[in-house]
């Protein structure tokens, strides 16, 4: 095979030039089909990560990736179908709450999810902690479930954007995950292939996120919104705080419990509630619900139990039962982490808490994990409970350093740092 064109493309990218759309299409097609091996692709993604991709290149790469596999559609649903994506956080139980809540408010949600990545949790793992629940829905079953009960949470199938599956694994091995253009193309290609008409992104910023700074998170948020607009879909991106875990529960099954209890009205962690309700409102707005009706519908779905019932329907549709959902409980072995001294909780290390929770789940099962009792800003006396560990494999003294105790309270950080709507991101990525 004549690889002259490919060598020239690699050299151009290496020198900081932009590749045209036909070249991106040829590269992605060849790589997905196996006629181009991973050696030149590894070099290409490294050049792309260092040099960056311009707007047209990001669009071209995304289009080529979407074309590598199936694209879902919802022909029996008249109005918009929505989806929600989080860039990965700790104690981020939003999806498990928002999907049934928005469906109960009348807007169908087709949520394609990923697994846990690094120290962050994955929605699929949380849902599968409920006995019987499966997330490996085939595309036909996934679409049929959205049409029937208004929501589904499924794993990315092998047939949707297979090029991303290959490329992501290669990026993981080559230190090229952290590139705004490559990340945006990867995320948006899967959302477009999932068939949603509108998408709300939750881009996490802070120490517990993959984007440590507000600037970096804002840049990704803007790129995601503009990229989705290029495909004729609507999008909003929130930039939200990940300087501490979002909800109180960190684990898999215990986050499913937190979602259940939130919907049932037993317990609503304020920071989790703020993010969840903002994202639910935005999904409903993009789903075509008139502005004046959004808040009353959300309040009614929560107060009437309709949102909670919808979670039960989703669990049932995916192999579990409403009784199993009601019965899940944290690991019975509990120990507490006490404050080392008097003061105020000034920081909670999300990476440390997330990693400890993953290790607990691996050792003690899906209902092991960590419940944060003293959030950032809470005054504590020496010995007072900072967190509760469910499970027997983690000694409290190992978790204690994740909490910083200071003399004075740190400034209060808002949960939502920025909201970017497609109308605000007025400059289109590509004239079309
Ligand atoms: N999540 C994805 O799906 N792709 C990326 O590149 C990064 C995070
Ligand atoms: Ca439709």
């Amino acid at each position: 095979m004549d690889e002259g064109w490919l060598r020239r493309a690699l050299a151009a990218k290496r020198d900081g030039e932009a590749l045209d759309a036909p070249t991106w299409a040829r590269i992605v097609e060849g790589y997905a089909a196996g006629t181009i091996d991973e050696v030149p692709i590894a070099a290409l993604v490294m050049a792309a990560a260092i040099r960056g991709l311009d707007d047209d290149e990001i669009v071209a790469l995304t289009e080529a990736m979407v074309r590598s596999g199936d694209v879902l559609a919802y022909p029996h649903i008249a109005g918009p179908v929505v989806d929600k994506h989080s860039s990965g956080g700790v104690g981020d139980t939003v999806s498990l709450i928002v999907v049934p809540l928005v469906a109960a408010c009348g807007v169908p949600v087709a949520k394609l999810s990923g697994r846990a990545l690094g120290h962050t949790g994955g929605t699929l793992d949380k849902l599968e902690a409920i006995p019987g629940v499966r997330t490996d829905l085939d595309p036909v079953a996934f679409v049929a479930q959205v049409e029937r009960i208004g929501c589904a949470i499924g794993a990315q199938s092998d047939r949707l954007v297979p090029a991303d599956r290959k490329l992501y694994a290669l990026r993981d091995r080559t230190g090229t995950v952290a590139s705004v253009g490559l990340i945006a193309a990867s995320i948006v290609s899967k959302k477009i292939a999932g068939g949603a008409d509108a998408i709300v992104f939750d881009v996490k910023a802070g120490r517990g996120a993959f984007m440590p700074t507000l600037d970096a998170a804002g840049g990704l948020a803007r790129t995601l919104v503009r990229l989705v607009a290029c495909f004729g879909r609507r999008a909003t991106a929130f930039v939200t705080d990940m300087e501490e875990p979002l909800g109180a529960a960190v684990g898999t099954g215990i986050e499913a419990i937190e979602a259940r209890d939130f919907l049932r009205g037993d317990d609503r962690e304020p920071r989790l509630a703020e993010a969840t309700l903002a994202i639910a409102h935005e999904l409903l707005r993009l789903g075509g619900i008139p502005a004046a009706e959004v808040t009353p519908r959300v309040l009614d779905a929560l107060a009437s139990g309709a949102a909670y019932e919808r979670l039960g329907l989703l669990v049932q549709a995916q192999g579990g039962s409403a009784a199993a959902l009601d019965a899940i409980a944290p690991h019975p072995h509990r120990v507490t982490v006490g404050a080392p001294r008097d003061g105020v909780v000034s920081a909670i290390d999300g990476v440390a808490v997330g990693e400890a929770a993953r290790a607990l789940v691996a050792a003690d099962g899906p209902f092991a994990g960590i419940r944060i009792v003293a959030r950032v800003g809470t005054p504590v006396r020496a010995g007072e409970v900072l967190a509760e560990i469910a499970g027997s494999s983690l000694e409290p003294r190992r978790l204690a350093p994740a909490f910083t105790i200071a003399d004075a309270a740190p400034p209060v950080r808002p949960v939502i740092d920025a909201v970017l709507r497609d109308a605000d991101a007025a400059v289109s990525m590509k004239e079309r």
Side-chain angles (χ1 to χ4, degrees), residues 124-158:
L124 299 180
D125 307 295
K126 298 172 196 178
L127 194 59
E128 286 172 355
I130 303 165
V133 172
R134 293 175 29 227
T135 59
D136 59 338
L137 312 175
D138 71 56
V140 174
F142 180 84
V143 168
Q145 185 180 319
V146 175
E147 290 175 346
R148 188 165 59 82
I149 64 164
C151 54
I153 298 178
Q156 197 65 49
S157 106
D158 296 348

PDB file of all heavy atoms in Angstrom, residues 124-158:
ATOM      1  N   LEU A 124     -22.290   3.403  34.934  1.00  0.00           N
ATOM      2  CA  LEU A 124     -22.644   2.001  34.685  1.00  0.00           C
ATOM      3  C   LEU A 124     -22.354   1.139  35.904  1.00  0.00           C
ATOM      4  O   LEU A 124     -23.149   0.276  36.284  1.00  0.00           O
ATOM      5  CB  LEU A 124     -21.868   1.450  33.491  1.00  0.00           C
ATOM      6  CG  LEU A 124     -22.097   2.154  32.155  1.00  0.00           C
ATOM      7  CD1 LEU A 124     -21.262   1.491  31.071  1.00  0.00           C
ATOM      8  CD2 LEU A 124     -23.570   2.141  31.778  1.00  0.00           C
ATOM      9  N   ASP A 125     -21.202   1.355  36.516  1.00  0.00           N
ATOM     10  CA  ASP A 125     -20.816   0.560  37.687  1.00  0.00           C
ATOM     11  C   ASP A 125     -21.788   0.795  38.843  1.00  0.00           C
ATOM     12  O   ASP A 125     -22.123  -0.118  39.592  1.00  0.00           O
ATOM     13  CB  ASP A 125     -19.392   0.915  38.123  1.00  0.00           C
ATOM     14  CG  ASP A 125     -18.405   0.810  36.955  1.00  0.00           C
ATOM     15  OD1 ASP A 125     -18.199  -0.304  36.463  1.00  0.00           O
ATOM     16  OD2 ASP A 125     -17.880   1.855  36.525  1.00  0.00           O
ATOM     17  N   LYS A 126     -22.233   2.034  38.977  1.00  0.00           N
ATOM     18  CA  LYS A 126     -23.170   2.374  40.070  1.00  0.00           C
ATOM     19  C   LYS A 126     -24.507   1.677  39.857  1.00  0.00           C
ATOM     20  O   LYS A 126     -25.087   1.094  40.765  1.00  0.00           O
ATOM     21  CB  LYS A 126     -23.357   3.898  40.144  1.00  0.00           C
ATOM     22  CG  LYS A 126     -22.066   4.641  40.447  1.00  0.00           C
ATOM     23  CD  LYS A 126     -22.232   6.151  40.316  1.00  0.00           C
ATOM     24  CE  LYS A 126     -20.850   6.809  40.240  1.00  0.00           C
ATOM     25  NZ  LYS A 126     -20.938   8.265  40.058  1.00  0.00           N
ATOM     26  N   LEU A 127     -24.987   1.736  38.622  1.00  0.00           N
ATOM     27  CA  LEU A 127     -26.289   1.135  38.316  1.00  0.00           C
ATOM     28  C   LEU A 127     -26.232  -0.385  38.436  1.00  0.00           C
ATOM     29  O   LEU A 127     -27.160  -1.027  38.963  1.00  0.00           O
ATOM     30  CB  LEU A 127     -26.689   1.554  36.900  1.00  0.00           C
ATOM     31  CG  LEU A 127     -28.128   1.320  36.472  1.00  0.00           C
ATOM     32  CD1 LEU A 127     -29.087   2.052  37.401  1.00  0.00           C
ATOM     33  CD2 LEU A 127     -28.330   1.799  35.036  1.00  0.00           C
ATOM     34  N   GLU A 128     -25.126  -0.973  37.976  1.00  0.00           N
ATOM     35  CA  GLU A 128     -24.995  -2.435  38.017  1.00  0.00           C
ATOM     36  C   GLU A 128     -24.828  -2.979  39.432  1.00  0.00           C
ATOM     37  O   GLU A 128     -24.938  -4.181  39.651  1.00  0.00           O
ATOM     38  CB  GLU A 128     -23.802  -2.886  37.151  1.00  0.00           C
ATOM     39  CG  GLU A 128     -24.092  -2.795  35.670  1.00  0.00           C
ATOM     40  CD  GLU A 128     -22.850  -3.056  34.820  1.00  0.00           C
ATOM     41  OE1 GLU A 128     -21.754  -3.217  35.395  1.00  0.00           O
ATOM     42  OE2 GLU A 128     -22.985  -3.089  33.591  1.00  0.00           O
ATOM     43  N   ALA A 129     -24.562  -2.090  40.397  1.00  0.00           N
ATOM     44  CA  ALA A 129     -24.471  -2.543  41.792  1.00  0.00           C
ATOM     45  C   ALA A 129     -25.840  -3.014  42.281  1.00  0.00           C
ATOM     46  O   ALA A 129     -25.938  -3.838  43.187  1.00  0.00           O
ATOM     47  CB  ALA A 129     -23.948  -1.410  42.678  1.00  0.00           C
ATOM     48  N   ILE A 130     -26.910  -2.512  41.677  1.00  0.00           N
ATOM     49  CA  ILE A 130     -28.263  -2.938  42.065  1.00  0.00           C
ATOM     50  C   ILE A 130     -28.462  -4.356  41.516  1.00  0.00           C
ATOM     51  O   ILE A 130     -28.278  -4.586  40.317  1.00  0.00           O
ATOM     52  CB  ILE A 130     -29.333  -1.980  41.489  1.00  0.00           C
ATOM     53  CG1 ILE A 130     -29.057  -0.545  41.958  1.00  0.00           C
ATOM     54  CG2 ILE A 130     -30.744  -2.425  41.884  1.00  0.00           C
ATOM     55  CD1 ILE A 130     -29.806   0.521  41.171  1.00  0.00           C
ATOM     56  N   PRO A 131     -28.795  -5.317  42.381  1.00  0.00           N
ATOM     57  CA  PRO A 131     -28.859  -6.716  41.941  1.00  0.00           C
ATOM     58  C   PRO A 131     -29.736  -6.902  40.688  1.00  0.00           C
ATOM     59  O   PRO A 131     -30.849  -6.384  40.618  1.00  0.00           O
ATOM     60  CB  PRO A 131     -29.459  -7.440  43.145  1.00  0.00           C
ATOM     61  CG  PRO A 131     -29.042  -6.613  44.307  1.00  0.00           C
ATOM     62  CD  PRO A 131     -29.059  -5.191  43.819  1.00  0.00           C
ATOM     63  N   GLY A 132     -29.190  -7.630  39.718  1.00  0.00           N
ATOM     64  CA  GLY A 132     -29.925  -7.969  38.506  1.00  0.00           C
ATOM     65  C   GLY A 132     -29.766  -6.981  37.363  1.00  0.00           C
ATOM     66  O   GLY A 132     -30.007  -7.324  36.212  1.00  0.00           O
ATOM     67  N   VAL A 133     -29.365  -5.740  37.668  1.00  0.00           N
ATOM     68  CA  VAL A 133     -29.364  -4.704  36.622  1.00  0.00           C
ATOM     69  C   VAL A 133     -28.229  -4.914  35.619  1.00  0.00           C
ATOM     70  O   VAL A 133     -27.092  -5.167  35.994  1.00  0.00           O
ATOM     71  CB  VAL A 133     -29.270  -3.287  37.231  1.00  0.00           C
ATOM     72  CG1 VAL A 133     -29.075  -2.233  36.146  1.00  0.00           C
ATOM     73  CG2 VAL A 133     -30.520  -2.984  38.034  1.00  0.00           C
ATOM     74  N   ARG A 134     -28.591  -4.802  34.339  1.00  0.00           N
ATOM     75  CA  ARG A 134     -27.625  -4.909  33.247  1.00  0.00           C
ATOM     76  C   ARG A 134     -27.568  -3.592  32.497  1.00  0.00           C
ATOM     77  O   ARG A 134     -28.577  -2.878  32.407  1.00  0.00           O
ATOM     78  CB  ARG A 134     -28.064  -6.003  32.268  1.00  0.00           C
ATOM     79  CG  ARG A 134     -28.034  -7.420  32.833  1.00  0.00           C
ATOM     80  CD  ARG A 134     -28.612  -8.369  31.792  1.00  0.00           C
ATOM     81  NE  ARG A 134     -28.368  -7.830  30.450  1.00  0.00           N
ATOM     82  CZ  ARG A 134     -29.295  -7.754  29.484  1.00  0.00           C
ATOM     83  NH1 ARG A 134     -30.511  -8.185  29.700  1.00  0.00           N
ATOM     84  NH2 ARG A 134     -28.984  -7.271  28.303  1.00  0.00           N
ATOM     85  N   THR A 135     -26.420  -3.294  31.935  1.00  0.00           N
ATOM     86  CA  THR A 135     -26.316  -2.073  31.136  1.00  0.00           C
ATOM     87  C   THR A 135     -25.850  -2.368  29.713  1.00  0.00           C
ATOM     88  O   THR A 135     -25.731  -1.473  28.905  1.00  0.00           O
ATOM     89  CB  THR A 135     -25.332  -1.068  31.774  1.00  0.00           C
ATOM     90  OG1 THR A 135     -24.057  -1.691  31.876  1.00  0.00           O
ATOM     91  CG2 THR A 135     -25.797  -0.640  33.155  1.00  0.00           C
ATOM     92  N   ASP A 136     -25.613  -3.670  29.416  1.00  0.00           N
ATOM     93  CA  ASP A 136     -25.138  -4.022  28.071  1.00  0.00           C
ATOM     94  C   ASP A 136     -26.335  -4.212  27.131  1.00  0.00           C
ATOM     95  O   ASP A 136     -26.506  -5.262  26.533  1.00  0.00           O
ATOM     96  CB  ASP A 136     -24.272  -5.290  28.117  1.00  0.00           C
ATOM     97  CG  ASP A 136     -25.021  -6.486  28.692  1.00  0.00           C
ATOM     98  OD1 ASP A 136     -26.006  -6.270  29.422  1.00  0.00           O
ATOM     99  OD2 ASP A 136     -24.629  -7.637  28.411  1.00  0.00           O
ATOM    100  N   LEU A 137     -27.164  -3.175  27.044  1.00  0.00           N
ATOM    101  CA  LEU A 137     -28.355  -3.242  26.189  1.00  0.00           C
ATOM    102  C   LEU A 137     -27.909  -3.161  24.739  1.00  0.00           C
ATOM    103  O   LEU A 137     -27.069  -2.326  24.410  1.00  0.00           O
ATOM    104  CB  LEU A 137     -29.268  -2.055  26.500  1.00  0.00           C
ATOM    105  CG  LEU A 137     -29.548  -1.785  27.986  1.00  0.00           C
ATOM    106  CD1 LEU A 137     -30.362  -0.504  28.135  1.00  0.00           C
ATOM    107  CD2 LEU A 137     -30.275  -2.963  28.606  1.00  0.00           C
ATOM    108  N   ASP A 138     -28.472  -4.016  23.874  1.00  0.00           N
ATOM    109  CA  ASP A 138     -28.101  -3.844  22.471  1.00  0.00           C
ATOM    110  C   ASP A 138     -28.868  -2.628  21.945  1.00  0.00           C
ATOM    111  O   ASP A 138     -29.840  -2.186  22.544  1.00  0.00           O
ATOM    112  CB  ASP A 138     -28.317  -5.128  21.659  1.00  0.00           C
ATOM    113  CG  ASP A 138     -29.776  -5.447  21.453  1.00  0.00           C
ATOM    114  OD1 ASP A 138     -30.512  -4.585  20.918  1.00  0.00           O
ATOM    115  OD2 ASP A 138     -30.186  -6.557  21.825  1.00  0.00           O
ATOM    116  N   PRO A 139     -28.381  -2.053  20.826  1.00  0.00           N
ATOM    117  CA  PRO A 139     -28.966  -0.788  20.360  1.00  0.00           C
ATOM    118  C   PRO A 139     -30.486  -0.847  20.176  1.00  0.00           C
ATOM    119  O   PRO A 139     -31.179   0.121  20.499  1.00  0.00           O
ATOM    120  CB  PRO A 139     -28.246  -0.542  19.033  1.00  0.00           C
ATOM    121  CG  PRO A 139     -26.929  -1.232  19.195  1.00  0.00           C
ATOM    122  CD  PRO A 139     -27.201  -2.447  20.034  1.00  0.00           C
ATOM    123  N   VAL A 140     -31.003  -1.983  19.694  1.00  0.00           N
ATOM    124  CA  VAL A 140     -32.458  -2.084  19.470  1.00  0.00           C
ATOM    125  C   VAL A 140     -33.198  -2.037  20.807  1.00  0.00           C
ATOM    126  O   VAL A 140     -34.200  -1.330  20.964  1.00  0.00           O
ATOM    127  CB  VAL A 140     -32.795  -3.389  18.696  1.00  0.00           C
ATOM    128  CG1 VAL A 140     -34.300  -3.579  18.590  1.00  0.00           C
ATOM    129  CG2 VAL A 140     -32.147  -3.355  17.312  1.00  0.00           C
ATOM    130  N   ALA A 141     -32.683  -2.765  21.789  1.00  0.00           N
ATOM    131  CA  ALA A 141     -33.324  -2.786  23.110  1.00  0.00           C
ATOM    132  C   ALA A 141     -33.217  -1.422  23.792  1.00  0.00           C
ATOM    133  O   ALA A 141     -34.156  -0.974  24.466  1.00  0.00           O
ATOM    134  CB  ALA A 141     -32.668  -3.864  23.985  1.00  0.00           C
ATOM    135  N   PHE A 142     -32.088  -0.768  23.594  1.00  0.00           N
ATOM    136  CA  PHE A 142     -31.866   0.550  24.197  1.00  0.00           C
ATOM    137  C   PHE A 142     -32.902   1.553  23.665  1.00  0.00           C
ATOM    138  O   PHE A 142     -33.582   2.237  24.429  1.00  0.00           O
ATOM    139  CB  PHE A 142     -30.434   1.007  23.886  1.00  0.00           C
ATOM    140  CG  PHE A 142     -30.058   2.354  24.441  1.00  0.00           C
ATOM    141  CD1 PHE A 142     -29.617   2.481  25.744  1.00  0.00           C
ATOM    142  CD2 PHE A 142     -30.140   3.495  23.651  1.00  0.00           C
ATOM    143  CE1 PHE A 142     -29.260   3.734  26.266  1.00  0.00           C
ATOM    144  CE2 PHE A 142     -29.794   4.739  24.160  1.00  0.00           C
ATOM    145  CZ  PHE A 142     -29.352   4.860  25.457  1.00  0.00           C
ATOM    146  N   VAL A 143     -33.023   1.601  22.336  1.00  0.00           N
ATOM    147  CA  VAL A 143     -33.987   2.524  21.709  1.00  0.00           C
ATOM    148  C   VAL A 143     -35.412   2.173  22.144  1.00  0.00           C
ATOM    149  O   VAL A 143     -36.196   3.057  22.507  1.00  0.00           O
ATOM    150  CB  VAL A 143     -33.846   2.490  20.171  1.00  0.00           C
ATOM    151  CG1 VAL A 143     -35.009   3.207  19.488  1.00  0.00           C
ATOM    152  CG2 VAL A 143     -32.513   3.114  19.742  1.00  0.00           C
ATOM    153  N   ALA A 144     -35.730   0.878  22.144  1.00  0.00           N
ATOM    154  CA  ALA A 144     -37.088   0.449  22.503  1.00  0.00           C
ATOM    155  C   ALA A 144     -37.414   0.847  23.948  1.00  0.00           C
ATOM    156  O   ALA A 144     -38.542   1.247  24.256  1.00  0.00           O
ATOM    157  CB  ALA A 144     -37.225  -1.069  22.330  1.00  0.00           C
ATOM    158  N   GLN A 145     -36.435   0.753  24.831  1.00  0.00           N
ATOM    159  CA  GLN A 145     -36.674   1.120  26.235  1.00  0.00           C
ATOM    160  C   GLN A 145     -36.921   2.630  26.378  1.00  0.00           C
ATOM    161  O   GLN A 145     -37.803   3.052  27.135  1.00  0.00           O
ATOM    162  CB  GLN A 145     -35.489   0.685  27.104  1.00  0.00           C
ATOM    163  CG  GLN A 145     -35.746   0.932  28.590  1.00  0.00           C
ATOM    164  CD  GLN A 145     -34.586   0.497  29.461  1.00  0.00           C
ATOM    165  OE1 GLN A 145     -33.984  -0.551  29.239  1.00  0.00           O
ATOM    166  NE2 GLN A 145     -34.258   1.309  30.474  1.00  0.00           N
ATOM    167  N   VAL A 146     -36.148   3.427  25.654  1.00  0.00           N
ATOM    168  CA  VAL A 146     -36.372   4.889  25.704  1.00  0.00           C
ATOM    169  C   VAL A 146     -37.777   5.196  25.198  1.00  0.00           C
ATOM    170  O   VAL A 146     -38.502   6.018  25.779  1.00  0.00           O
ATOM    171  CB  VAL A 146     -35.304   5.647  24.880  1.00  0.00           C
ATOM    172  CG1 VAL A 146     -35.624   7.137  24.834  1.00  0.00           C
ATOM    173  CG2 VAL A 146     -33.909   5.423  25.454  1.00  0.00           C
ATOM    174  N   GLU A 147     -38.183   4.509  24.150  1.00  0.00           N
ATOM    175  CA  GLU A 147     -39.522   4.757  23.598  1.00  0.00           C
ATOM    176  C   GLU A 147     -40.614   4.314  24.576  1.00  0.00           C
ATOM    177  O   GLU A 147     -41.659   4.944  24.681  1.00  0.00           O
ATOM    178  CB  GLU A 147     -39.675   4.037  22.254  1.00  0.00           C
ATOM    179  CG  GLU A 147     -38.809   4.683  21.173  1.00  0.00           C
ATOM    180  CD  GLU A 147     -38.821   3.949  19.832  1.00  0.00           C
ATOM    181  OE1 GLU A 147     -39.278   2.784  19.781  1.00  0.00           O
ATOM    182  OE2 GLU A 147     -38.360   4.547  18.852  1.00  0.00           O
ATOM    183  N   ARG A 148     -40.365   3.228  25.300  1.00  0.00           N
ATOM    184  CA  ARG A 148     -41.400   2.655  26.174  1.00  0.00           C
ATOM    185  C   ARG A 148     -41.516   3.381  27.513  1.00  0.00           C
ATOM    186  O   ARG A 148     -42.605   3.755  27.919  1.00  0.00           O
ATOM    187  CB  ARG A 148     -41.099   1.166  26.413  1.00  0.00           C
ATOM    188  CG  ARG A 148     -42.204   0.409  27.147  1.00  0.00           C
ATOM    189  CD  ARG A 148     -42.013  -1.097  27.027  1.00  0.00           C
ATOM    190  NE  ARG A 148     -40.743  -1.549  27.561  1.00  0.00           N
ATOM    191  CZ  ARG A 148     -40.513  -1.778  28.864  1.00  0.00           C
ATOM    192  NH1 ARG A 148     -41.469  -1.590  29.744  1.00  0.00           N
ATOM    193  NH2 ARG A 148     -39.331  -2.181  29.264  1.00  0.00           N
ATOM    194  N   ILE A 149     -40.371   3.594  28.221  1.00  0.00           N
ATOM    195  CA  ILE A 149     -40.471   4.198  29.558  1.00  0.00           C
ATOM    196  C   ILE A 149     -39.805   5.567  29.656  1.00  0.00           C
ATOM    197  O   ILE A 149     -39.730   6.154  30.725  1.00  0.00           O
ATOM    198  CB  ILE A 149     -39.908   3.266  30.666  1.00  0.00           C
ATOM    199  CG1 ILE A 149     -38.407   3.025  30.493  1.00  0.00           C
ATOM    200  CG2 ILE A 149     -40.675   1.944  30.711  1.00  0.00           C
ATOM    201  CD1 ILE A 149     -37.748   2.447  31.748  1.00  0.00           C
ATOM    202  N   GLY A 150     -39.292   6.062  28.518  1.00  0.00           N
ATOM    203  CA  GLY A 150     -38.759   7.428  28.517  1.00  0.00           C
ATOM    204  C   GLY A 150     -37.329   7.567  29.002  1.00  0.00           C
ATOM    205  O   GLY A 150     -36.813   8.679  29.062  1.00  0.00           O
ATOM    206  N   CYS A 151     -36.687   6.447  29.333  1.00  0.00           N
ATOM    207  CA  CYS A 151     -35.281   6.569  29.731  1.00  0.00           C
ATOM    208  C   CYS A 151     -34.562   5.227  29.691  1.00  0.00           C
ATOM    209  O   CYS A 151     -35.188   4.173  29.863  1.00  0.00           O
ATOM    210  CB  CYS A 151     -35.138   7.190  31.116  1.00  0.00           C
ATOM    211  SG  CYS A 151     -36.054   6.389  32.442  1.00  0.00           S
ATOM    212  N   ALA A 152     -33.258   5.305  29.470  1.00  0.00           N
ATOM    213  CA  ALA A 152     -32.388   4.132  29.524  1.00  0.00           C
ATOM    214  C   ALA A 152     -30.985   4.619  29.824  1.00  0.00           C
ATOM    215  O   ALA A 152     -30.612   5.737  29.440  1.00  0.00           O
ATOM    216  CB  ALA A 152     -32.406   3.374  28.189  1.00  0.00           C
ATOM    217  N   ILE A 153     -30.230   3.804  30.544  1.00  0.00           N
ATOM    218  CA  ILE A 153     -28.815   4.085  30.784  1.00  0.00           C
ATOM    219  C   ILE A 153     -28.054   2.858  30.300  1.00  0.00           C
ATOM    220  O   ILE A 153     -28.169   1.780  30.884  1.00  0.00           O
ATOM    221  CB  ILE A 153     -28.523   4.352  32.273  1.00  0.00           C
ATOM    222  CG1 ILE A 153     -29.297   5.585  32.761  1.00  0.00           C
ATOM    223  CG2 ILE A 153     -27.010   4.537  32.492  1.00  0.00           C
ATOM    224  CD1 ILE A 153     -29.111   5.914  34.247  1.00  0.00           C
ATOM    225  N   GLY A 154     -27.345   3.028  29.197  1.00  0.00           N
ATOM    226  CA  GLY A 154     -26.700   1.871  28.594  1.00  0.00           C
ATOM    227  C   GLY A 154     -25.219   2.086  28.373  1.00  0.00           C
ATOM    228  O   GLY A 154     -24.730   3.216  28.320  1.00  0.00           O
ATOM    229  N   ALA A 155     -24.509   0.971  28.232  1.00  0.00           N
ATOM    230  CA  ALA A 155     -23.088   1.028  27.911  1.00  0.00           C
ATOM    231  C   ALA A 155     -22.936   1.365  26.429  1.00  0.00           C
ATOM    232  O   ALA A 155     -23.775   1.015  25.609  1.00  0.00           O
ATOM    233  CB  ALA A 155     -22.439  -0.319  28.203  1.00  0.00           C
ATOM    234  N   GLN A 156     -21.863   2.049  26.149  1.00  0.00           N
ATOM    235  CA  GLN A 156     -21.473   2.306  24.780  1.00  0.00           C
ATOM    236  C   GLN A 156     -21.311   0.967  24.067  1.00  0.00           C
ATOM    237  O   GLN A 156     -20.466   0.174  24.470  1.00  0.00           O
ATOM    238  CB  GLN A 156     -20.105   2.999  24.879  1.00  0.00           C
ATOM    239  CG  GLN A 156     -19.669   3.695  23.678  1.00  0.00           C
ATOM    240  CD  GLN A 156     -20.584   4.846  23.388  1.00  0.00           C
ATOM    241  OE1 GLN A 156     -20.880   5.641  24.250  1.00  0.00           O
ATOM    242  NE2 GLN A 156     -21.060   4.903  22.174  1.00  0.00           N
ATOM    243  N   SER A 157     -22.120   0.678  23.043  1.00  0.00           N
ATOM    244  CA  SER A 157     -21.979  -0.623  22.374  1.00  0.00           C
ATOM    245  C   SER A 157     -20.754  -0.620  21.461  1.00  0.00           C
ATOM    246  O   SER A 157     -20.262   0.433  21.065  1.00  0.00           O
ATOM    247  CB  SER A 157     -23.237  -0.960  21.575  1.00  0.00           C
ATOM    248  OG  SER A 157     -23.001  -0.819  20.195  1.00  0.00           O
ATOM    249  N   ASP A 158     -20.280  -1.815  21.140  1.00  0.00           N
ATOM    250  CA  ASP A 158     -19.115  -1.938  20.255  1.00  0.00           C
ATOM    251  C   ASP A 158     -19.401  -1.364  18.875  1.00  0.00           C
ATOM    252  O   ASP A 158     -18.477  -1.043  18.139  1.00  0.00           O
ATOM    253  CB  ASP A 158     -18.759  -3.422  20.046  1.00  0.00           C
ATOM    254  CG  ASP A 158     -18.322  -4.078  21.329  1.00  0.00           C
ATOM    255  OD1 ASP A 158     -18.075  -3.336  22.302  1.00  0.00           O
ATOM    256  OD2 ASP A 158     -18.251  -5.318  21.372  1.00  0.00           O
TER     257      ASP A 158
END
